[in-house]
Amino acid sequence: MSKLQPVRGTHDLFGKEAQQFAELIALVRSVGQLYGFEDASTPIFEFTEVFKRTLGDTSDVVSKEMYTLEDRGGESLTLRPEFTAGIARAFISNGWQQNLPLKLFSTGPLFRYERPQKGRQRQFHQINFEYLGEASPYADIEMILLGAHILSYLQILPKCKLEINTLGDKESRTAYTKALVDYFTSHKDKLSEDSKTRLEKNPLRILDSKDAGDKTLVADAPKIQEYLTPAAKQFYETVVSGLKDSPVGSILTINPAIVRGLDYYSHTVFEFTAFSEEVGAQNTVLAGGRYDGLIEQMGGPATPAVGFAAGVERLLLLAPKIAYRIKPIAIVAMGESAVNDAFKLTQAIRSRERIAEMVTHNNPGKALKKADKIKAAYAVLLGENELKSGQFVVKNLTTGEQETVAKEAIVNYLLATKEETYEL
Ligand code: ATP
Ligand code: MG
């Protein structure tokens, strides 16, 4: 029988990679806490409608990337392709409007049926931040600066540029959409097939097209900045000037082609993109925007909101590849008769929050080899003689020095040693 393979576009995490993954999430959470974010998690699947209604029928995600299944009760369910729709659904289901403003951090796996390549998987992970209930443009600025703060902590920011755009309010978008339809209709024969459909259903989406011919047309298309209502224009200008006057001012550019792939955005949209080769063609690292209409559109109360997400796998491709682990203390049971005492000592050390591991072997030399293999900093040797005399030998595995310590003093002796780390 051939070896069992993982599903295409999925990935097993182990060793150094798994450690870096966990550390990255912990670091991101801690930066989020500086800005008042708390954890929130929603189910990994939702009724298909939750995503269909929010992301838009013409979005790539809904039109071709969703993992949708019918369960045994005949319900159509979809594995979440992103976080925002689930958070918005939870907001409505649980009446979170009582708790506004809310700052929520989520992380976990997402699923999209895409062509797997570097930085693009079918099961991938995101870190996701949503700021609900705040309409001020300063919330947009704050979120973009949080994104930059995270990228900076991960030492990725120097490899990125920041692009922003506005989608205005409803009125701006209606005027702009009309201008776009006029423009693209006069060039209809040059549009890709997908974009011809978009022209009928959702013309803004053409700006997001990856087709080379479409991109040439998009370059000369009308720009939304010329169609903003006074209120939308003022909102946009506050965000731009706030960002110019901040640490991201020097990496900021305005890109009128940024519309984001999903239908629910309004006002600010932004992307941090890497110019480094490490992520291949998949260079969007962290992206988001304001989505004031979404919760109301789903049947909830009108709630202003702004959020962003970043792909964990892409962050890991860009982050420095160092991971450390703390060396354990090895409790060496030399022979079966010492196992019970060795096990109890191991637990006593763990209960005092130091890392300990029991290793067992009849042959003292081989037992020490095992301690080396688990990268132990110290080995405590327990055999019949030691248990009888109540005097344990502690060996420093870095220096080779040994010391004899009385049974009663052993835990405190070990706790007083300095924690050492090793590089994975
Ligand atoms: P792309 O243009 O790369 O398809 P997107 O616009 O579909 O990205 P979003 O839906 O905004 O991406 O998701 C935000 C982030 O999630 C992306 O910038 C990327 O880092 C990550 N991401 C999206 N899809 C995948 C995937 N299939 N595999 C790995 N990471 C992904
Ligand atoms: Mg995509």
Side-chain angles (χ1 to χ4, degrees):
M1 205 177 98
S2 65
K3 264 197 192 163
L4 269 179
Q5 297 299 317
V7 173
R8 187 165 138 83
T10 69
H11 204 63
D12 301 310
L13 271 186
F14 179 73
K16 181 174 176 175
E17 245 189 328
Q19 169 113 357
Q20 283 176 327
F21 192 100
E23 278 174 9
L24 185 142
I25 305 288
L27 202 125
V28 168
R29 177 179 282 113
S30 72
V31 180
Q33 284 167 349
L34 296 176
Y35 291 73
F37 280 81
E38 54 180 302
D39 275 63
S41 73
T42 59
I44 233 161
F45 52 35
E46 298 275 353
F47 292 122
T48 300
E49 275 307 298
V50 169
F51 302 114
K52 258 201 175 152
R53 265 202 270 160
T54 53
L55 309 185
D57 282 335
T58 50
S59 67
D60 279 355
V61 172
V62 171
S63 62
K64 48 194 177 204
E65 296 173 1
M66 293 206 303
Y67 275 94
T68 297
L69 58 122
E70 195 177 290
D71 75 4
R72 288 166 197 272
E75 299 282 10
S76 178
L77 306 178
T78 293
L79 302 183
R80 63 184 182 198
E82 57 115 49
F83 280 104
T84 308
I87 292 282
R89 194 275 308 143
F91 181 99
I92 297 168
S93 313
N94 301 301
W96 285 346
Q97 65 265 28
Q98 311 299 331
N99 310 331
L100 290 176
L102 273 175
K103 289 178 154 184
L104 304 177
F105 166 66
S106 308
T107 185
L110 304 169
F111 307 85
R112 295 185 191 179
Y113 192 81
E114 299 202 74
R115 197 168 67 77
Q117 51 197 292
K118 195 172 186 181
R120 194 178 288 293
Q121 297 173 202
R122 288 182 175 176
Q123 176 177 316
F124 64 103
H125 299 75
Q126 279 183 351
I127 49 148
N128 185 82
F129 289 85
E130 312 288 359
Y131 187 178
L132 303 159
E134 182 51 70
S136 160
Y138 281 89
D140 306 47
I141 298 171
E142 184 181 338
M143 292 301 273
I144 292 170
L145 292 182
L146 168 58
H149 203 147
I150 288 169
L151 294 175
S152 165
Y153 259 53
L154 297 171
Q155 300 178 49
I156 293 173
L157 195 61
K159 300 175 181 176
C160 289
K161 60 180 177 173
L162 166 62
E163 296 177 295
I164 74 159
N165 189 26
T166 178
L167 299 178
D169 48 20
K170 231 185 201 158
E171 213 182 316
S172 321
R173 241 176 357 263
T174 307
Y176 180 53
T177 305
K178 194 177 166 302
L180 275 185
V181 170
D182 290 347
Y183 171 79
F184 285 119
T185 304
S186 66
H187 296 93
K188 196 170 172 183
D189 49 322
K190 283 176 256 163
L191 280 176
S192 68
E193 283 313 306
D194 275 352
S195 285
K196 280 180 189 147
T197 314
R198 293 179 183 122
L199 184 57
E200 302 289 320
K201 292 189 174 170
N202 192 341
L204 260 180
R205 218 18 14 92
I206 300 175
L207 302 182
D208 199 38
S209 172
K210 283 167 186 150
D211 177 89
D214 290 350
K215 278 187 171 174
T216 319
L217 287 180
V218 166
D220 293 326
K223 308 286 180 272
I224 190 160
Q225 277 75 2
E226 289 141 43
Y227 297 85
L228 297 177
T229 59
K233 189 164 191 269
Q234 206 198 333
F235 191 100
Y236 174 61
E237 283 171 358
T238 305
V239 174
V240 172
S241 69
L243 290 173
K244 280 196 173 146
D245 184 27
S246 83
V248 296
S250 57
I251 59 165
L252 178 70
T253 53
I254 288 156
N255 179 354
I258 290 189
V259 289
R260 306 293 308 123
L262 312 172
D263 271 2
Y264 51 59
Y265 288 107
S266 60
H267 290 294
T268 316
V269 283
F270 65 95
E271 293 185 358
F272 285 89
T273 49
F275 39 78
S276 148
E277 295 293 301
E278 291 155 290
V279 280
Q282 317 313 319
N283 64 354
T284 308
V285 175
L286 185 154
R290 180 165 280 282
Y291 55 96
D292 288 348
L294 175 67
I295 291 172
E296 189 176 21
Q297 180 203 315
M298 288 175 81
T303 309
V306 52
F308 68 79
V312 177
E313 286 80 4
R314 284 185 209 176
L315 293 174
L316 282 170
L317 284 171
L318 289 160
K321 308 281 176 287
I322 319 164
Y324 296 98
R325 198 173 278 170
I326 297 167
K327 292 183 173 181
I329 295 167
I331 310 302
V332 181
M334 297 184 295
E336 275 307 309
S337 59
V339 167
N340 192 35
D341 285 271
F343 181 71
K344 281 189 181 153
L345 179 54
T346 308
Q347 286 301 107
I349 296 165
R350 287 172 176 162
S351 73
R352 303 287 297 274
E353 286 166 24
R354 277 293 290 268
I355 303 171
E357 196 63 47
M358 180 173 79
V359 297
T360 316
H361 207 287
N362 287 329
N363 176 322
K366 294 214 166 123
L368 279 176
K369 273 224 173 82
K370 275 188 162 178
D372 267 334
K373 180 124 199 266
I374 62 165
K375 304 270 197 270
Y378 294 88
V380 186
L381 306 175
L382 266 70
E384 246 169 75
N385 295 341
E386 287 77 5
L387 288 172
K388 245 182 242 150
S389 66
Q391 297 291 318
F392 298 166
V393 173
V394 180
K395 185 166 179 163
N396 180 329
L397 296 177
T398 317
T399 62
E401 284 164 25
Q402 335 199 120
E403 230 175 291
T404 305
V405 182
K407 183 179 178 189
E408 307 74 56
I410 190 74
V411 172
N412 284 331
Y413 176 90
L414 293 169
L415 291 175
T417 60
K418 205 171 151 276
E419 261 183 354
E420 291 174 35
T421 56
Y422 64 98
E423 201 176 311
L424 280 181

